[in-house]
Amino acid sequence: MAWSSAAADATAYLSEHGIADAVHASLAAIIAERPTDPITALGEKLVAMSLAKQAADSPLGDEELRKVEKPIASQVRAKWLAKELFGLSIVDGTIKDLDSYDDRNFYFRATTQRAELCDAADGHAVADEGGAFHFVLKVHNGVESLNTGFIECQNLAMEAVRAKCEGVWCPRPLPSVEGWRISYAEQPLANKTVRRHAVRCLPFKPGKLLGDVVADAALLAEIGRVCAKVTHS
């Protein structure tokens, strides 16, 4: 009787807090997806549900969580990720941090033996450094890293622009050494919690920001032309 009472109490507790439903939904998704590491996948799905609940309960939605889940990554770490995940050898003195709201972004020039990262259509070859190319490495925040579909939608959008908008330059998700367009690496947060963050590498084409040039009639007309082409393609 004591065991039966304890079991009933536990069941009521799990049901009251939505734990049973969360576990059942996560297990159903894992059975359908058949990941190679189901234990890790189960943990990630439960963390994703927890973050989603926190976002729903917050008046600012997931914006607060994005800032909290911003990864900590140094330039030394970025050089390691570029080499290990994408086979890039960064040219000394070229790496720098880029501004970002909730991710970690790094610009650098690098060399590589991987031809698939050196497509002429990317327009990212360095004119004065033989064999070097411009790149950006992006370490995603913890919120997006748990939502692979969101990142993949960005990848598909870039591919659509490249395929359908002739004359409009757009970057692309570069494949990792294992062929993935979205790679992963463990990175700490500001609170020392270690999370598995999504990492992407993209070609970078040097240029100027609109705010740094004189927006004359010709430039505004060109911006309108490009926007229209992307919108209607």
Side-chain angles (χ1 to χ4, degrees), residues 27-64:
L27 288 175
I30 288 173
I31 292 172
E33 297 169 5
R34 301 299 174 96
T36 55
D37 186 351
I39 299 298
T40 298
L42 175 61
E44 290 178 347
K45 289 185 182 299
L46 291 173
V47 170
M49 288 183 178
S50 176
L51 290 174
K53 184 179 184 303
Q54 292 178 50
D57 294 340
S58 169
L60 296 179
D62 68 0
E63 290 305 305
E64 284 186 344

mmCIF file of all heavy atoms in Angstrom, residues 27-64:
data_model
loop_
_atom_site.group_PDB
_atom_site.id
_atom_site.type_symbol
_atom_site.label_atom_id
_atom_site.label_comp_id
_atom_site.label_asym_id
_atom_site.label_seq_id
_atom_site.Cartn_x
_atom_site.Cartn_y
_atom_site.Cartn_z
ATOM 1 N N LEU A 27 10.561 11.334 -26.237
ATOM 2 C CA LEU A 27 10.818 9.948 -26.625
ATOM 3 C C LEU A 27 10.188 9.616 -27.970
ATOM 4 O O LEU A 27 10.784 8.921 -28.804
ATOM 5 C CB LEU A 27 10.288 9.004 -25.547
ATOM 6 C CG LEU A 27 11.073 8.975 -24.230
ATOM 7 C CD1 LEU A 27 10.361 8.092 -23.207
ATOM 8 C CD2 LEU A 27 12.497 8.486 -24.459
ATOM 9 N N ALA A 28 8.986 10.133 -28.218
ATOM 10 C CA ALA A 28 8.318 9.892 -29.496
ATOM 11 C C ALA A 28 9.138 10.496 -30.641
ATOM 12 O O ALA A 28 9.285 9.884 -31.713
ATOM 13 C CB ALA A 28 6.915 10.495 -29.473
ATOM 14 N N ALA A 29 9.676 11.693 -30.417
ATOM 15 C CA ALA A 29 10.485 12.341 -31.449
ATOM 16 C C ALA A 29 11.772 11.559 -31.705
ATOM 17 O O ALA A 29 12.201 11.390 -32.857
ATOM 18 C CB ALA A 29 10.816 13.775 -31.038
ATOM 19 N N ILE A 30 12.393 11.055 -30.646
ATOM 20 C CA ILE A 30 13.632 10.287 -30.792
ATOM 21 C C ILE A 30 13.383 8.978 -31.535
ATOM 22 O O ILE A 30 14.164 8.564 -32.390
ATOM 23 C CB ILE A 30 14.250 10.019 -29.405
ATOM 24 C CG1 ILE A 30 14.829 11.321 -28.851
ATOM 25 C CG2 ILE A 30 15.327 8.943 -29.480
ATOM 26 C CD1 ILE A 30 15.316 11.217 -27.439
ATOM 27 N N ILE A 31 12.274 8.326 -31.231
ATOM 28 C CA ILE A 31 11.930 7.084 -31.935
ATOM 29 C C ILE A 31 11.735 7.355 -33.426
ATOM 30 O O ILE A 31 12.133 6.556 -34.283
ATOM 31 C CB ILE A 31 10.661 6.452 -31.325
ATOM 32 C CG1 ILE A 31 10.963 5.947 -29.907
ATOM 33 C CG2 ILE A 31 10.144 5.310 -32.204
ATOM 34 C CD1 ILE A 31 9.752 5.484 -29.152
ATOM 35 N N ALA A 32 11.135 8.504 -33.743
ATOM 36 C CA ALA A 32 10.902 8.841 -35.148
ATOM 37 C C ALA A 32 12.193 9.244 -35.861
ATOM 38 O O ALA A 32 12.411 8.889 -37.026
ATOM 39 C CB ALA A 32 9.880 9.977 -35.241
ATOM 40 N N GLU A 33 13.075 9.958 -35.152
ATOM 41 C CA GLU A 33 14.298 10.477 -35.774
ATOM 42 C C GLU A 33 15.445 9.470 -35.758
ATOM 43 O O GLU A 33 16.344 9.537 -36.595
ATOM 44 C CB GLU A 33 14.736 11.756 -35.045
ATOM 45 C CG GLU A 33 13.712 12.884 -35.156
ATOM 46 C CD GLU A 33 14.031 14.036 -34.222
ATOM 47 O OE1 GLU A 33 15.094 13.997 -33.555
ATOM 48 O OE2 GLU A 33 13.219 14.986 -34.151
ATOM 49 N N ARG A 34 15.475 8.574 -34.781
ATOM 50 C CA ARG A 34 16.524 7.562 -34.620
ATOM 51 C C ARG A 34 17.938 8.171 -34.613
ATOM 52 O O ARG A 34 18.785 7.809 -35.445
ATOM 53 C CB ARG A 34 16.415 6.506 -35.722
ATOM 54 C CG ARG A 34 15.086 5.764 -35.770
ATOM 55 C CD ARG A 34 14.847 5.003 -34.468
ATOM 56 N NE ARG A 34 13.544 4.403 -34.400
ATOM 57 C CZ ARG A 34 13.291 3.127 -34.726
ATOM 58 N NH1 ARG A 34 14.280 2.341 -35.126
ATOM 59 N NH2 ARG A 34 12.066 2.644 -34.627
ATOM 60 N N PRO A 35 18.244 9.096 -33.706
ATOM 61 C CA PRO A 35 19.581 9.692 -33.661
ATOM 62 C C PRO A 35 20.615 8.658 -33.235
ATOM 63 O O PRO A 35 20.287 7.649 -32.586
ATOM 64 C CB PRO A 35 19.442 10.801 -32.620
ATOM 65 C CG PRO A 35 18.342 10.321 -31.730
ATOM 66 C CD PRO A 35 17.371 9.614 -32.632
ATOM 67 N N THR A 36 21.879 8.886 -33.582
ATOM 68 C CA THR A 36 22.934 7.937 -33.221
ATOM 69 C C THR A 36 23.229 7.961 -31.726
ATOM 70 O O THR A 36 23.715 6.981 -31.170
ATOM 71 C CB THR A 36 24.225 8.270 -33.987
ATOM 72 O OG1 THR A 36 24.590 9.634 -33.738
ATOM 73 C CG2 THR A 36 24.027 8.079 -35.483
ATOM 74 N N ASP A 37 22.951 9.093 -31.058
ATOM 75 C CA ASP A 37 23.163 9.206 -29.616
ATOM 76 C C ASP A 37 21.839 9.616 -28.967
ATOM 77 O O ASP A 37 21.604 10.779 -28.673
ATOM 78 C CB ASP A 37 24.246 10.254 -29.330
ATOM 79 C CG ASP A 37 24.629 10.321 -27.852
ATOM 80 O OD1 ASP A 37 23.933 9.669 -27.040
ATOM 81 O OD2 ASP A 37 25.587 11.023 -27.510
ATOM 82 N N PRO A 38 20.951 8.646 -28.726
ATOM 83 C CA PRO A 38 19.608 8.982 -28.224
ATOM 84 C C PRO A 38 19.603 9.598 -26.827
ATOM 85 O O PRO A 38 18.730 10.407 -26.524
ATOM 86 C CB PRO A 38 18.888 7.627 -28.241
ATOM 87 C CG PRO A 38 19.972 6.603 -28.191
ATOM 88 C CD PRO A 38 21.116 7.201 -28.946
ATOM 89 N N ILE A 39 20.563 9.258 -25.992
ATOM 90 C CA ILE A 39 20.593 9.818 -24.636
ATOM 91 C C ILE A 39 20.863 11.328 -24.700
ATOM 92 O O ILE A 39 20.168 12.130 -24.062
ATOM 93 C CB ILE A 39 21.670 9.129 -23.775
ATOM 94 C CG1 ILE A 39 21.370 7.639 -23.640
ATOM 95 C CG2 ILE A 39 21.740 9.791 -22.406
ATOM 96 C CD1 ILE A 39 20.058 7.338 -22.956
ATOM 97 N N THR A 40 21.869 11.713 -25.490
ATOM 98 C CA THR A 40 22.176 13.133 -25.657
ATOM 99 C C THR A 40 21.006 13.856 -26.314
ATOM 100 O O THR A 40 20.639 14.967 -25.921
ATOM 101 C CB THR A 40 23.438 13.318 -26.513
ATOM 102 O OG1 THR A 40 24.552 12.716 -25.838
ATOM 103 C CG2 THR A 40 23.738 14.796 -26.729
ATOM 104 N N ALA A 41 20.399 13.216 -27.316
ATOM 105 C CA ALA A 41 19.272 13.821 -28.016
ATOM 106 C C ALA A 41 18.095 14.041 -27.066
ATOM 107 O O ALA A 41 17.421 15.075 -27.131
ATOM 108 C CB ALA A 41 18.845 12.931 -29.190
ATOM 109 N N LEU A 42 17.857 13.079 -26.167
ATOM 110 C CA LEU A 42 16.770 13.220 -25.189
ATOM 111 C C LEU A 42 17.039 14.420 -24.279
ATOM 112 O O LEU A 42 16.144 15.243 -24.026
ATOM 113 C CB LEU A 42 16.643 11.946 -24.358
ATOM 114 C CG LEU A 42 15.624 11.991 -23.206
ATOM 115 C CD1 LEU A 42 14.221 12.245 -23.742
ATOM 116 C CD2 LEU A 42 15.676 10.699 -22.396
ATOM 117 N N GLY A 43 18.261 14.534 -23.796
ATOM 118 C CA GLY A 43 18.609 15.665 -22.941
ATOM 119 C C GLY A 43 18.431 16.997 -23.651
ATOM 120 O O GLY A 43 17.900 17.957 -23.074
ATOM 121 N N GLU A 44 18.852 17.066 -24.922
ATOM 122 C CA GLU A 44 18.736 18.315 -25.679
ATOM 123 C C GLU A 44 17.277 18.694 -25.902
ATOM 124 O O GLU A 44 16.913 19.877 -25.839
ATOM 125 C CB GLU A 44 19.466 18.183 -27.016
ATOM 126 C CG GLU A 44 20.985 18.122 -26.863
ATOM 127 C CD GLU A 44 21.690 17.936 -28.185
ATOM 128 O OE1 GLU A 44 21.003 17.609 -29.191
ATOM 129 O OE2 GLU A 44 22.921 18.109 -28.235
ATOM 130 N N LYS A 45 16.438 17.706 -26.162
ATOM 131 C CA LYS A 45 15.027 18.001 -26.392
ATOM 132 C C LYS A 45 14.354 18.510 -25.112
ATOM 133 O O LYS A 45 13.526 19.421 -25.150
ATOM 134 C CB LYS A 45 14.307 16.773 -26.941
ATOM 135 C CG LYS A 45 14.697 16.440 -28.376
ATOM 136 C CD LYS A 45 13.891 15.296 -28.934
ATOM 137 C CE LYS A 45 14.345 14.962 -30.354
ATOM 138 N NZ LYS A 45 14.153 16.106 -31.266
ATOM 139 N N LEU A 46 14.709 17.920 -23.989
ATOM 140 C CA LEU A 46 14.131 18.373 -22.723
ATOM 141 C C LEU A 46 14.631 19.779 -22.370
ATOM 142 O O LEU A 46 13.860 20.608 -21.875
ATOM 143 C CB LEU A 46 14.485 17.393 -21.610
ATOM 144 C CG LEU A 46 13.797 16.018 -21.709
ATOM 145 C CD1 LEU A 46 14.349 15.060 -20.661
ATOM 146 C CD2 LEU A 46 12.286 16.160 -21.550
ATOM 147 N N VAL A 47 15.907 20.058 -22.650
ATOM 148 C CA VAL A 47 16.433 21.412 -22.418
ATOM 149 C C VAL A 47 15.729 22.413 -23.327
ATOM 150 O O VAL A 47 15.374 23.518 -22.906
ATOM 151 C CB VAL A 47 17.956 21.451 -22.656
ATOM 152 C CG1 VAL A 47 18.459 22.891 -22.664
ATOM 153 C CG2 VAL A 47 18.685 20.668 -21.579
ATOM 154 N N ALA A 48 15.498 22.017 -24.577
ATOM 155 C CA ALA A 48 14.809 22.898 -25.518
ATOM 156 C C ALA A 48 13.399 23.218 -25.032
ATOM 157 O O ALA A 48 12.930 24.362 -25.133
ATOM 158 C CB ALA A 48 14.758 22.254 -26.900
ATOM 159 N N MET A 49 12.712 22.203 -24.504
ATOM 160 C CA MET A 49 11.371 22.432 -23.972
ATOM 161 C C MET A 49 11.412 23.376 -22.768
ATOM 162 O O MET A 49 10.546 24.240 -22.615
ATOM 163 C CB MET A 49 10.732 21.101 -23.570
ATOM 164 C CG MET A 49 10.333 20.224 -24.740
ATOM 165 S SD MET A 49 9.518 18.711 -24.185
ATOM 166 C CE MET A 49 9.143 17.948 -25.768
ATOM 167 N N SER A 50 12.428 23.207 -21.925
ATOM 168 C CA SER A 50 12.571 24.070 -20.756
ATOM 169 C C SER A 50 12.808 25.512 -21.175
ATOM 170 O O SER A 50 12.202 26.443 -20.630
ATOM 171 C CB SER A 50 13.733 23.586 -19.882
ATOM 172 O OG SER A 50 13.951 24.468 -18.792
ATOM 173 N N LEU A 51 13.674 25.710 -22.178
ATOM 174 C CA LEU A 51 13.942 27.060 -22.664
ATOM 175 C C LEU A 51 12.700 27.672 -23.291
ATOM 176 O O LEU A 51 12.422 28.867 -23.134
ATOM 177 C CB LEU A 51 15.081 27.031 -23.681
ATOM 178 C CG LEU A 51 16.480 26.734 -23.119
ATOM 179 C CD1 LEU A 51 17.481 26.594 -24.251
ATOM 180 C CD2 LEU A 51 16.920 27.819 -22.154
ATOM 181 N N ALA A 52 11.944 26.855 -24.008
ATOM 182 C CA ALA A 52 10.722 27.347 -24.641
ATOM 183 C C ALA A 52 9.709 27.789 -23.581
ATOM 184 O O ALA A 52 9.027 28.806 -23.740
ATOM 185 C CB ALA A 52 10.119 26.266 -25.535
ATOM 186 N N LYS A 53 9.626 27.028 -22.495
ATOM 187 C CA LYS A 53 8.714 27.397 -21.409
ATOM 188 C C LYS A 53 9.161 28.696 -20.737
ATOM 189 O O LYS A 53 8.341 29.568 -20.431
ATOM 190 C CB LYS A 53 8.638 26.275 -20.377
ATOM 191 C CG LYS A 53 7.631 26.551 -19.253
ATOM 192 C CD LYS A 53 7.566 25.403 -18.283
ATOM 193 C CE LYS A 53 6.474 25.653 -17.231
ATOM 194 N NZ LYS A 53 6.673 26.913 -16.504
ATOM 195 N N GLN A 54 10.487 28.818 -20.533
ATOM 196 C CA GLN A 54 11.000 30.049 -19.942
ATOM 197 C C GLN A 54 10.697 31.248 -20.839
ATOM 198 O O GLN A 54 10.339 32.321 -20.359
ATOM 199 C CB GLN A 54 12.508 29.945 -19.727
ATOM 200 C CG GLN A 54 12.923 28.948 -18.662
ATOM 201 C CD GLN A 54 14.421 28.856 -18.537
ATOM 202 O OE1 GLN A 54 15.114 29.866 -18.423
ATOM 203 N NE2 GLN A 54 14.944 27.647 -18.567
ATOM 204 N N ALA A 55 10.849 31.049 -22.145
ATOM 205 C CA ALA A 55 10.567 32.133 -23.090
ATOM 206 C C ALA A 55 9.089 32.507 -23.064
ATOM 207 O O ALA A 55 8.724 33.686 -23.121
ATOM 208 C CB ALA A 55 10.982 31.713 -24.496
ATOM 209 N N ALA A 56 8.227 31.475 -22.974
ATOM 210 C CA ALA A 56 6.787 31.732 -22.954
ATOM 211 C C ALA A 56 6.375 32.473 -21.689
ATOM 212 O O ALA A 56 5.456 33.305 -21.706
ATOM 213 C CB ALA A 56 6.022 30.416 -23.071
ATOM 214 N N ASP A 57 7.068 32.183 -20.581
ATOM 215 C CA ASP A 57 6.737 32.821 -19.306
ATOM 216 C C ASP A 57 7.329 34.217 -19.169
ATOM 217 O O ASP A 57 6.939 34.988 -18.296
ATOM 218 C CB ASP A 57 7.227 31.959 -18.133
ATOM 219 C CG ASP A 57 6.480 30.641 -18.044
ATOM 220 O OD1 ASP A 57 5.380 30.549 -18.617
ATOM 221 O OD2 ASP A 57 7.009 29.696 -17.417
ATOM 222 N N SER A 58 8.300 34.544 -20.043
ATOM 223 C CA SER A 58 8.977 35.847 -19.953
ATOM 224 C C SER A 58 8.240 36.879 -20.790
ATOM 225 O O SER A 58 7.816 36.596 -21.904
ATOM 226 C CB SER A 58 10.422 35.724 -20.454
ATOM 227 O OG SER A 58 11.001 37.008 -20.620
ATOM 228 N N PRO A 59 8.077 38.114 -20.283
ATOM 229 C CA PRO A 59 7.416 39.166 -21.074
ATOM 230 C C PRO A 59 8.206 39.546 -22.316
ATOM 231 O O PRO A 59 7.662 40.127 -23.253
ATOM 232 C CB PRO A 59 7.318 40.338 -20.090
ATOM 233 C CG PRO A 59 8.407 40.091 -19.099
ATOM 234 C CD PRO A 59 8.468 38.598 -18.957
ATOM 235 N N LEU A 60 9.494 39.214 -22.351
ATOM 236 C CA LEU A 60 10.334 39.534 -23.508
ATOM 237 C C LEU A 60 10.523 38.324 -24.427
ATOM 238 O O LEU A 60 11.353 38.363 -25.328
ATOM 239 C CB LEU A 60 11.701 40.049 -23.034
ATOM 240 C CG LEU A 60 11.678 41.364 -22.257
ATOM 241 C CD1 LEU A 60 13.087 41.738 -21.838
ATOM 242 C CD2 LEU A 60 11.053 42.480 -23.080
ATOM 243 N N GLY A 61 9.767 37.264 -24.190
ATOM 244 C CA GLY A 61 9.901 36.084 -25.030
ATOM 245 C C GLY A 61 11.295 35.482 -24.911
ATOM 246 O O GLY A 61 11.853 35.410 -23.816
ATOM 247 N N ASP A 62 11.873 35.058 -26.040
ATOM 248 C CA ASP A 62 13.188 34.414 -25.977
ATOM 249 C C ASP A 62 14.342 35.411 -26.061
ATOM 250 O O ASP A 62 15.502 35.011 -26.068
ATOM 251 C CB ASP A 62 13.320 33.357 -27.069
ATOM 252 C CG ASP A 62 13.356 33.956 -28.468
ATOM 253 O OD1 ASP A 62 13.271 35.191 -28.599
ATOM 254 O OD2 ASP A 62 13.471 33.187 -29.434
ATOM 255 N N GLU A 63 14.059 36.704 -26.109
ATOM 256 C CA GLU A 63 15.128 37.690 -26.220
ATOM 257 C C GLU A 63 16.051 37.662 -25.005
ATOM 258 O O GLU A 63 17.273 37.760 -25.131
ATOM 259 C CB GLU A 63 14.545 39.097 -26.409
ATOM 260 C CG GLU A 63 13.899 39.301 -27.772
ATOM 261 C CD GLU A 63 14.858 38.984 -28.906
ATOM 262 O OE1 GLU A 63 15.957 39.558 -28.941
ATOM 263 O OE2 GLU A 63 14.508 38.152 -29.764
ATOM 264 N N GLU A 64 15.479 37.555 -23.812
ATOM 265 C CA GLU A 64 16.299 37.466 -22.611
ATOM 266 C C GLU A 64 17.160 36.206 -22.640
ATOM 267 O O GLU A 64 18.339 36.228 -22.306
ATOM 268 C CB GLU A 64 15.420 37.460 -21.369
ATOM 269 C CG GLU A 64 14.850 38.821 -20.992
ATOM 270 C CD GLU A 64 14.109 38.762 -19.671
ATOM 271 O OE1 GLU A 64 13.779 37.653 -19.219
ATOM 272 O OE2 GLU A 64 13.865 39.831 -19.093
#
